[in-house]
Amino acid sequence: GLDARVRGTLVHDTFRFFWEAIQSQERLLALSESELSAAIEAAIDKAIERAAREREQTLKGLFREIESQRLTTLLRQWLEVEKRRAPFSLQMAERKTVLRFGGLELHGYIDRVDTLANGSSVIIDYKTGQPRTKDWQGDPPDEPQLPAYATGREPPLPVSALLFAALKPGRDFGFKGLAADEGIAPKVEVTEGWDAQLDAWKTTLDKLAGDFRRGDARVDPREFPRTCDHCGLQALCRVHEQGIAPVESDAENGDD
């Protein structure tokens, strides 16, 4: 079988190859049913062929057919969401990028960037799990990846939205994120003071990078003990010497 990482890569590659071929929402809307089916099939075949280089014994025969059906269903459902967005064209897909914060040079990998009609950019991250935009907030944020993509490039992108593409079937299927204006994507929250939010993210990430460069190694978990759950360095850490009070769990705060 395929582990979660390979299945996730298949989804990323399928979406990438589809949009590299189609390029825009306008072109998507203009496709006939036969053209759409052909474009989906071509993208999936290309993604599976790429994965089969490392999983040749798995991705063949009936197993390959089942995986192809899964990807077809997912992509078709997702394209219905894309059709309800503001008009866009593909700017880049699965592209390496260089980010700079506080004197550090970091290397990232952006799933996708679209260009809107006004020339601004929408940064999209595909997620097959349950993404949470609240993880972008706080000092430091738990998940700074998309805020970093929005604020760390040189020259900076004129970004108008950060979006998770939540691909797990169910009630949360669709876009989740923050946007500067209404209508960029269905059900996406508009953030008042968008430019101020971008500046705040940049300031926070510059400080984190600067602290790292200076060797600031103080024991300061954001949400003890939850932050420490997956650390793996407990034998070396001094956190229990600090007298830090535990935070309440999400369940206790009423989150699902």
Side-chain angles (χ1 to χ4, degrees), residues 2 6-18 39-55 59 64 67-68 70-71 75:
L2 302 177
V6 177
R7 288 170 63 108
T9 299
L10 274 169
V11 171
H12 279 70
D13 285 346
T14 296
F15 281 49
R16 169 194 172 186
F17 294 139
F18 179 85
I40 291 172
E41 183 178 352
I44 291 172
D45 284 347
K46 197 171 180 179
I48 291 178
E49 283 297 325
R50 184 178 184 189
R53 296 172 195 165
E54 297 181 2
R55 297 290 192 281
L59 285 166
R64 180 174 179 139
E67 196 61 25
S68 179
R70 177 184 80 91
L71 293 167
L75 182 52

Side-chain angles (χ1 to χ4, degrees), residues 2-133:
L2 302 177
D3 60 30
R5 181 187 65 82
V6 177
R7 288 170 63 108
T9 299
L10 274 169
V11 171
H12 279 70
D13 285 346
T14 296
F15 281 49
R16 169 194 172 186
F17 294 139
F18 179 85
W19 283 113
E20 285 180 342
I22 302 305
Q23 287 290 313
S24 70
Q25 185 196 60
E26 180 181 17
R27 171 63 177 147
L28 170 65
L29 295 172
L31 292 175
S32 67
E33 177 55 34
S34 61
E35 290 172 331
L36 177 60
S37 295
I40 291 172
E41 183 178 352
I44 291 172
D45 284 347
K46 197 171 180 179
I48 291 178
E49 283 297 325
R50 184 178 184 189
R53 296 172 195 165
E54 297 181 2
R55 297 290 192 281
E56 183 179 357
Q57 296 302 314
T58 303
L59 285 166
K60 62 182 181 180
L62 183 59
F63 193 99
R64 180 174 179 139
E65 289 181 31
I66 293 171
E67 196 61 25
S68 179
Q69 290 170 9
R70 177 184 80 91
L71 293 167
T72 298
T73 299
L74 178 62
L75 182 52
R76 279 189 171 275
Q77 290 175 343
W78 184 255
L79 292 177
E80 293 304 310
V81 178
E82 298 274 17
K83 290 176 181 178
R84 301 197 300 271
R85 289 178 55 193
F88 65 88
S89 59
L90 179 70
Q91 184 181 137
M92 66 174 74
E94 304 291 342
R95 185 79 57 84
K96 291 180 180 179
T97 189
V98 175
L99 310 170
R100 291 183 172 85
F101 293 103
L104 284 183
E105 180 177 289
L106 308 175
H107 294 256
Y109 203 80
I110 299 180
D111 288 350
R112 179 170 148 202
V113 181
D114 292 340
T115 302
L116 301 181
N118 64 4
S120 67
S121 297
V122 175
I123 299 176
I124 298 172
D125 193 48
Y126 297 127
K127 292 293 185 186
T128 53
Q130 296 288 356
R132 306 189 308 173
T133 58

Side-chain angles (χ1 to χ4, degrees), residues 165-239:
L167 302 174
K168 185 176 182 178
R171 63 185 178 90
D172 292 328
F173 187 81
F175 284 112
K176 298 178 70 174
L178 303 176
D181 302 298
E182 293 278 359
I184 290 178
K187 301 180 181 179
V188 170
E189 177 184 347
V190 174
T191 298
E192 298 294 333
W194 177 254
D195 290 339
Q197 176 64 83
L198 293 176
D199 289 342
W201 279 329
K202 183 69 164 63
T203 299
T204 297
L205 296 175
D206 276 336
K207 179 181 181 300
L208 276 174
D211 289 346
F212 181 83
R213 288 188 70 217
R214 289 189 294 273
D216 186 340
R218 75 186 69 186
V219 178
D220 187 25
R222 181 182 164 199
E223 295 184 342
F224 177 76
R226 193 181 320 148
T227 304
C228 307
D229 284 347
H230 304 289
C231 171
L233 297 175
Q234 287 87 349
L236 302 176
C237 188
R238 308 181 308 279
V239 66

Side-chain angles (χ1 to χ4, degrees), residues 240-251:
H240 293 287
E241 301 172 11
Q242 308 303 307
I244 301 172
V247 299
E248 293 181 344
S249 70
D250 285 344

